[in-house]
Each structure stands twice: as C-alpha cells, then as structure tokens.
Amino acid sequence: MTHRTIHLFNKGLRLHDNPSLLAAMESSAAVYPVYVLDRQLMAASAHIGPLRWRFILQSLEDLHSSLQERGSRLHVLQGPYLDVVRHLVARWGITQISFDSEVEPHCVQLEAGLRGLAGELGLSIISCVAHTLYDVKRIIKTNDGKPPLTYKKFLHVLSFLGEPDKPARDITTADFQKCLTPRQDGDDEKDRVPTFEELGLEVEPEVLWPGGESHALKRLEQHFQSQGWVANFSKPRTIPNSLLPSTTGLSPYLSLGCLSVRTFYHRLSSIYAQSKNHSLPPVSLQGQVLWREFFYTVASATPNFTKMEGNPICLQIGWYDNQEALQKWKRGQTGFPWIDAIMTQLRQEGWIHHLARHAVACFLTRGDLWISWEEGMKVFEEYLLDADYSINAGNWMWLSASAFFHHYTRIFCPVRFGRRTDPEGQYLRKYLPVLKNFPSKYIYEPWNAPEEVQLQAGCVIGKDYPLPMVSHQEVSERNLELMKQVRSEQGNTAELTRDVADDPMEIGAKRHAQEEGPGADESAGRSCSSAASSRKRCSSGGEHGGRACSWTPEAVRLPEISSEVM
DNA sequence: TCCTGGTTGGTGTT
DNA sequence: AACACCAACCAGGA
C-alpha cells in the first residue's frame, strides 16, 4: 500500500471495468491518472482524422470530469511517450506504473519500452488485459499456437476457455478517499486536456457522437431498455441506410475503451438468460463482440496484418494503382448515389453501418475499381470514429476476398443493394441533396433518367452530379475473371507483382487485352445493365421490382473497360 | 482425399 | 417470402 503509482491511460478511457487502475489504487498510497498525448507516436500508428481526434479529446474530457467528481483529475501531457513518463517519475517520486496490455504492434512496442524504463528506474509494473474479452495469447495457445482462421473454429476454441472474466468493479469516490491522488502541484489548468484549436483541428460544430464513458454508458442503457430488441438482434437484418443507426452504435466507444467489452458481454448474457429465444453468434450482439475478438486474435499472431505484402493469410493480388479513381471513391464522386452517399456520411459523421461499409469496400476492391484494400483501409482509418487496427484490416481483407471470405462471385450491385432497404432513397436525399428532387424510380441510377426528368429535378447528370465512373456490369465481370486468374496462379507461382506503372488505364488495357482480346467500342453504356447478359438487369423502378432497365440491350455499346476507370 | 459449411449476393421461379 | 441455381472459393475435419 506504499507505492506511488502513475496509471497510464491509452485506450480503456473509463472507470468501470478498469482492472489495471483498480489494482494500482489498491496497492498505492498515491495514484496519478495520466494520459500521454504523443502525437508523433499516434501519427505513426494510424492516420487519425479530425472527427476521431475530437472523439478522443471529448473522451479525455469526460474521463477528467469523472475523476474530478471522485476527488482526482486526469493529467494530460504532450511529448515523446517515454520521455514524459521518465520526467513524471522524477517529478512525483513514482515507484510503480500501471497500464493495460494490448496487442496492436505499436502498443506492444510501447509496452516493451515501458518495461525497459521500469527496469532501468526500478519501478514495479501492473498490467492487465482489459480491451478484449480474453487474453488473446491464451486463445492462440489453446489452438496449438496458431490463430484460428474461421469464426466457427474460433468459437470452438473459446468453448475450451469458458466465459470471459467478469468486469472489475467500478471505481468510486470511496476508492479515491483511501488512495490519495495529489492535486497540489499546480492549478487545474496545468496538464489539462488540449482543445481542438490547440491541436490545430478544424471540425464541424455538430457532434453526433460525443466521446466518453458517460455517453457510452448512457447509450448502452438506452438500448438495454429494449430487451427484446437486444435478445433478438440479428446483424444481417439491420438496415444499412436507415437515417438513424439501426445497430447499437457502440463501436466508437468500444474501440477507445470508453465502454468495456466485458461489461457489454456480461450484460448481454444476463438479458439472454431471461429470454427464451435469443439470437446466437455469428449474428447476435454477443456474436458481434466475438467477431471483434476473432480479428484481434488473428491480427495479434499475423505478421504484416494491415498489409498485403508479407502477410501470410492474405491473397496476393495485382491491384491497380489509380489515384484518381481512389480520390473519386474517397470524396463520394463515383456517380453511384448509393456509394457516394455512404462515403459522404462517413466523411461528415464518422460512422456508417456495417453493410454500407461492405458496399463501398466491395466497390473499391474486387467489385468495381480493383484498387487495393489497403487504400480503403487507410481512408476508413482516417474517417471512422471506431477505426480499429485489427477489425479494420480484417474486414477489408474479408470484403476484398483476400482472406477469411472466399466467395468472390458474390458482388454487391451499387444500384440494387441499397434500394432493397430504402426504395424511396431517403438516405440518398439526405446525404446527396443535389439529387433530392429525383423521382425514386431513378434516384439510384440517375443517369438513366430522361433528360426532362433530370431538368425537372434540377440536376443534370454529367454536370450537376457525375456520370457513373464505371459500368458496373462490365468491370465486375472483368474483375471476376481477374480474381479467378489470381487464384489459379497463386498455387504454383510466386505472388503477382504489384503494378507500379504510372498509367493505370494502360495496365487495365493490357490485362484486358490478354484475357479477352480487344474491348468493344467506347460509346455510351454507362449503365448497370448489360448487353452481354440480358437476364441480368437493373430495374429502374423501386416499386416495380422486375421491371426492365430503360436501356435496351441493343442500345448499349459497352466501352472498353480500361477507359472506364477515370 | 474428399466432404462440409460459410454473419449479411444476385437472379429467377414459385 | 422462400427456394434453387449460379460457379465452384477455402479452412477445417473426417
């Protein structure tokens, strides 16, 4: 009980289920809650956009307030991580440090640095696993030292481990009364949470997702009032284009540890215990956090998990290097309203539904643009409030059929997929106001609207809103062939070399020529429908499911594929 | 070596 | 709304 301890918050920005902090308090006469804001270190591990920064700062503010309510405070210090800790150890006469043990490479590296420093300075260490349900090392050990590569196998391995640990008890004012947390050095303004302005950030004033533990717990309680909804939750049945999230929206809070995944898991168990027919993994809510656990487990044991090259579980594919097409996707200017609306919501709000992520990820990679999943992953990393090293990379490999998922023939149609659950296009009208006056019949494929309809809607396609950047029908068929080829070559040859030529259209042209001979001529044909296959066609009417496209097969002369990716 | 099953496709038929 | 079919992937298990 005589230690003087620094608790280093990293993720785990909470006072519920925080076993490292609790153990620090139980073994100390004084505990200093500290957050080291090492911007260089953070920038090296991930590209964090302004929305995520705001979320982090709000979460720190929230933590600071909670600590103040309990008679303590949060010290936020900027600078190189280990230098800051070394300085604080001397300044406060520290004998012990505590922190959560995490599995991301940069966290592992930081922990090694902290352990080295502790050895050098003779400090005791407390470190607990609190960001995942299990210590993923235990999962891997139980599976003979390898990460399970399927979810089913993963669940099977977990069945040997029993239930995850119960959450640690909440940290209360009483805990802080027993354990002095000195505030005497300097006033409250010293070492406080920086503002956006101080970090040089500009961000929209509207806050849809306020960061912090108290907001996380409030959101949790709101959802848990609907016990039936929680018990019967089935992920594939949730709606990607509802105007309010159709899922719990807890992912940002879980990713930063404002909400403990073990708290969430055990709260779900208690609801399931009272329910006769609750849903099950993989689609249940518990199944969702087990997916999270799955990706953490595989990521922790896979070298170069966020890259294709040097990643042993990742299919090696010669993706196109097309910066212009990538920028169109990123900025929501593909000409496909469903894709562009999703990317707009992502940039503006920092959260999109899981299935919406599928739609845009498939479009960028194996569906349409044939651009590397790594590029998409980086964009998500920048914009998503719930950006997460393991889950983000894992899902991008999944969607691009590079790992985990292999049914590459299942390609999302950028016109019909969204129309299924939002035939009137309310979601599109909200995020792409330029299209808001289009009739529902055409809003998912406005380039098919007759000129007078476009004029009536006050939006001429090609002028006020872009033409579709590719013919989905054409490029998706080409990509399917490319994928087939990759898979047949992968077995007996070395990995495909990545295309580095400076003209991606040229690459596409070459590949296409090799496979199928010269393409057709270059007119018209920016359509979801196909001349090659009249049975596959896009309905242009939301309310007439089977209605044929306004393009007749004869009218569509498909352009050469390579020229489509502009 | 073969067989099974896989969180969430799309089309067409009933 | 439910189902067969498409074309035929991979990890894991027998």
Side-chain angles (χ1 to χ4, degrees):
Chain A
M1 285 299 200
T2 55
H3 275 299
R4 297 175 62 80
T5 305
I6 290 174
H7 177 74
L8 294 163
F9 285 98
N10 181 20
K11 295 176 187 171
L13 302 180
R14 61 174 184 262
L15 300 182
H16 73 280
D17 188 29
N18 194 330
S20 310
L21 177 57
L22 191 60
M25 298 186 75
E26 286 172 347
S27 62
S28 303
V31 170
Y32 293 82
V34 167
Y35 185 85
V36 181
L37 183 55
D38 183 343
R39 295 183 72 188
Q40 272 193 317
L41 187 72
M42 290 172 89
S45 67
H47 187 179
I48 301 169
L51 287 172
R52 173 80 171 176
W53 269 116
R54 176 168 69 183
F55 192 82
I56 293 170
L57 295 182
Q58 287 175 335
S59 298
L60 292 173
E61 276 292 355
D62 187 68
L63 183 62
H64 179 54
S65 299
S66 299
L67 285 165
Q68 279 187 316
E69 281 168 22
R70 290 163 176 76
S72 181
R73 65 159 293 179
L74 180 67
H75 301 266
V76 180
L77 293 109
Q78 297 196 51
Y81 207 102
L82 294 181
D83 292 352
V84 169
V85 174
R86 185 188 290 275
H87 172 73
L88 292 178
V89 167
R91 174 172 154 195
W92 290 331
I94 294 302
T95 62
Q96 177 171 263
I97 54 174
S98 66
F99 50 83
D100 285 349
S101 191
E102 290 167 30
V103 293
E104 290 176 30
H106 75 280
C107 293
V108 170
Q109 205 180 345
L110 178 60
E111 182 172 335
L114 286 169
R115 287 184 180 280
L117 188 67
E120 183 194 327
L121 302 177
L123 307 173
S124 300
I125 291 175
I126 290 171
S127 79
C128 301
V129 171
H131 194 59
T132 45
L133 294 168
Y134 298 87
D135 180 347
V136 297
K137 290 192 214 74
R138 222 180 122 216
I139 300 172
I140 289 165
K141 196 176 164 194
T142 307
N143 192 44
D144 300 326
K146 306 162 298 192
L149 292 178
T150 64
Y151 187 76
K152 197 179 173 185
K153 172 79 170 168
F154 174 77
L155 293 183
H156 180 65
V157 175
L158 289 194
S159 70
F160 296 111
L161 300 182
E163 287 291 288
D165 288 344
K166 286 275 166 60
R169 66 174 175 81
D170 291 353
I171 293 170
T172 63
T173 307
D175 293 303
F176 279 102
Q177 282 166 351
K178 279 180 261 172
C179 171
L180 177 69
T181 54
R183 296 172 64 187
Q184 70 276 15
D185 68 319
D187 56 78
D188 286 354
E189 280 301 294
K190 194 172 157 89
D191 302 337
R192 59 172 172 72
V193 180
T195 62
F196 312 127
E197 292 76 23
E198 284 164 355
L199 294 188
L201 297 172
E202 280 183 38
V203 71
E204 294 286 315
E206 193 188 9
V207 180
L208 276 175
W209 301 88
E213 177 184 21
S214 59
H215 293 288
L217 294 175
K218 200 189 294 174
R219 199 172 183 102
L220 179 75
E221 295 309 330
Q222 278 167 1
H223 281 292
F224 275 64
Q225 282 173 8
S226 316
Q227 297 209 3
W229 182 83
V230 169
N232 295 312
F233 181 92
S234 177
K235 188 62 165 285
R237 296 200 193 286
T238 57
I239 293 170
N241 39 15
S242 59
L243 296 184
L244 290 172
S246 60
T247 50
T248 66
L250 289 169
S251 58
Y253 303 97
L254 287 166
S255 76
L256 203 52
C258 301
L259 173 64
S260 157
V261 68
R262 290 188 295 226
T263 298
F264 185 51
Y265 183 95
H266 286 288
R267 285 289 301 275
L268 288 168
S269 289
S270 67
I271 295 230
Y272 293 161
Q274 298 164 34
S275 160
K276 285 176 188 165
N277 270 323
H278 64 82
S279 54
L280 291 168
V283 299
S284 64
L285 275 177
Q286 244 174 19
Q288 303 314 297
V289 289
L290 290 167
W291 277 106
R292 174 181 186 271
E293 198 84 357
F294 170 70
F295 287 123
Y296 269 81
T297 304
V298 183
S300 74
T302 306
N304 301 304
F305 189 72
T306 56
K307 297 182 174 71
M308 177 183 78
E309 289 180 11
N311 181 341
I313 66 166
C314 182
L315 192 62
Q316 304 295 305
I317 296 174
W319 302 107
Y320 299 158
D321 177 12
N322 186 334
Q323 285 303 315
E324 204 178 336
L326 174 63
Q327 291 305 316
K328 284 190 176 180
W329 175 82
K330 180 177 178 178
R331 292 174 185 159
Q333 294 166 359
T334 67
F336 291 93
W338 167 235
I339 301 299
D340 295 343
I342 294 168
M343 294 306 288
T344 303
Q345 186 189 15
L346 172 63
R347 280 199 329 283
Q348 289 179 354
E349 300 178 2
W351 184 90
I352 51 178
H353 185 276
H354 188 63
L355 289 175
R357 301 180 195 204
H358 280 214
V360 296
C362 184
F363 185 88
L364 180 74
T365 59
R366 65 188 171 85
D368 295 79
L369 303 185
W370 199 260
I371 289 174
S372 170
W373 60 268
E374 291 177 51
E375 298 298 332
M377 179 191 73
K378 288 179 205 161
V379 171
F380 274 25
E381 185 179 279
E382 179 181 349
Y383 291 136
L384 278 175
L385 294 174
D386 61 29
D388 182 290
Y389 174 92
S390 309
I391 302 170
N392 195 19
N395 274 310
W396 273 97
M397 279 188 269
W398 183 294
L399 259 297
S400 63
S402 297
F404 307 115
F405 174 85
H406 313 284
H407 283 243
Y408 61 84
T409 56
R410 296 183 186 174
I411 294 172
F412 293 89
C413 175
V415 171
R416 275 159 308 192
F417 186 55
R419 190 150 61 191
R420 274 206 313 245
T421 44
D422 179 23
E424 303 301 319
Q426 297 304 330
Y427 176 84
L428 307 184
R429 294 174 208 277
K430 176 176 178 183
Y431 291 102
L432 301 174
V434 68
L435 297 175
K436 71 176 190 294
N437 293 323
F438 259 90
S440 300
K441 181 178 175 181
Y442 294 113
I443 194 160
Y444 282 88
E445 41 185 340
W447 61 92
N448 280 335
E451 198 184 347
E452 63 269 23
V453 172
Q454 298 186 24
L455 288 169
Q456 179 94 36
C459 175
V460 175
I461 303 306
K463 179 170 152 274
D464 304 309
Y465 179 77
L467 283 160
M469 64 189 290
V470 291
S471 155
H472 170 71
Q473 186 67 45
E474 274 290 288
V475 295
S476 62
E477 282 178 12
R478 173 206 63 186
N479 292 350
L480 211 137
E481 290 304 314
L482 283 174
M483 196 61 95
K484 229 182 265 183
Q485 191 190 326
V486 167
R487 280 156 202 275
S488 68
E489 286 170 359
Q490 204 92 145
N492 43 30
T493 65
E495 68 188 49
L496 291 175
T497 53
R498 184 182 274 272
D499 289 312
V500 290
D502 55 7
D503 185 352
M505 298 179 199
E506 193 57 28
I507 295 163
K510 267 189 255 163
R511 284 179 176 271
H512 190 226
Q514 280 162 9
E515 286 143 29
E516 295 167 37
D521 91 33
E522 196 171 310
S523 59
R526 298 178 181 278
S527 166
C528 180
S529 67
S530 166
S533 169
S534 58
R535 75 183 172 83
K536 294 182 189 172
R537 56 180 182 255
C538 272
S539 161
S540 48
E543 49 196 54
H544 313 294
R547 190 180 178 279
C549 205
S550 57
W551 291 87
T552 63
E554 294 73 25
V556 182
R557 296 282 295 170
L558 289 159
E560 188 168 349
I561 292 160
S562 57
S563 67
E564 293 278 358
V565 185
M566 297 180 298

